[in-house]
Amino acid sequence: MVQRLSDAQRRSLSETLPQWSLAEERDAIRRVFRFADFSAAWAFMTRVALLAEKHDHHPEWSNVYNRVEILLSTHDAGGLSERDVQLAKAIDHVL
């Protein structure tokens, strides 16, 4: 079973993933991305979808025109895990 992040790991998230923030309503991290238009946002989502398949870890996300919001949490762990951190890093690398 996947383990949730420790308190020390959570405290270091702002350094490890400076563009991501802790979700207020649940044990997750989120980031909002803005693009020039819908096509650019959709292209980004396509790249993230391929990453998610590779990581076998899938985001919760929404898209409205040029805005993409991604929320990461590991359901098997009941909250944040290293899998979320690794996928967030990979998503940041796509940019």
Side-chain angles (χ1 to χ4, degrees), residues 8-89:
Q9 289 170 310
R10 288 168 189 278
R11 285 191 296 273
S12 70
L13 283 175
S14 62
E15 296 170 18
T16 307
L17 300 168
Q19 302 293 327
W20 294 78
S21 61
L22 291 171
E24 293 179 18
E25 69 278 3
R26 57 191 278 209
D27 192 20
I29 54 174
R30 82 165 12 111
R31 182 168 176 192
V32 175
F33 300 84
R34 295 199 192 299
F35 299 91
D37 54 29
F38 178 77
S39 293
W42 191 263
F44 169 74
M45 290 178 72
T46 301
R47 291 190 303 273
V48 171
L50 294 172
L51 276 174
E53 282 297 306
K54 181 179 175 184
H55 285 251
D56 191 28
H57 189 50
H58 304 91
E60 294 177 34
W61 56 7
S62 65
N63 165 241
V64 177
Y65 184 60
N66 69 335
R67 182 179 173 272
V68 176
E69 181 175 350
I70 297 178
L71 186 111
L72 299 174
S73 184
T74 304
H75 299 284
D76 293 346
L80 280 172
S81 76
E82 186 60 31
R83 295 184 79 192
D84 303 307
V85 173
Q86 292 307 312
L87 184 55
K89 286 178 180 179

